[in-house]
Amino acid sequence: GVITGIGFIGGGAILKHGTSVYGLATAASIWNAGAIGLATGMGRFNIAVVLSVINLISLLVLRRVDKADPDQLPDKDESGDGC
């Protein structure tokens, strides 16, 4: 049940806009959070800590990569109402 639930929630975090796909890092983090929760529930705290550190490092690296190419970001105002 945990795998199905986490997959459903992670799938909802993925958004497609035109040919671009957003939210993959968020979906992967949701999967990681589920794995951390399962490891903690099973008493495997060492695995939970390692997964947490891997998730933190990968998100920090991905943030730097994302900021390195500002041309890939979508327009903030796509509604056309000027807000």
Side-chain angles (χ1 to χ4, degrees):
V2 173
I3 293 172
T4 304
I6 295 296
F8 182 76
I9 293 170
I14 300 172
L15 303 172
K16 183 175 183 274
H17 184 275
T19 59
S20 300
V21 178
Y22 302 98
L24 293 177
T26 303
S29 292
I30 291 171
W31 269 102
N32 197 352
I36 292 168
L38 286 173
T40 303
M42 293 173 51
R44 303 298 303 259
F45 301 112
N46 54 346
I47 294 174
V49 169
V50 169
L51 287 174
S52 298
V53 170
I54 289 172
N55 194 35
L56 178 65
I57 291 171
S58 64
L59 287 175
L60 290 173
V61 169
L62 286 173
R63 183 171 64 176
R64 284 184 168 238
V65 170
D66 188 38
K67 287 183 178 180
D69 192 6
D71 294 333
Q72 296 295 327
L73 297 175
D75 293 334
K76 298 294 181 192
D77 181 22
E78 297 178 5
S79 63
D81 62 1
C83 294

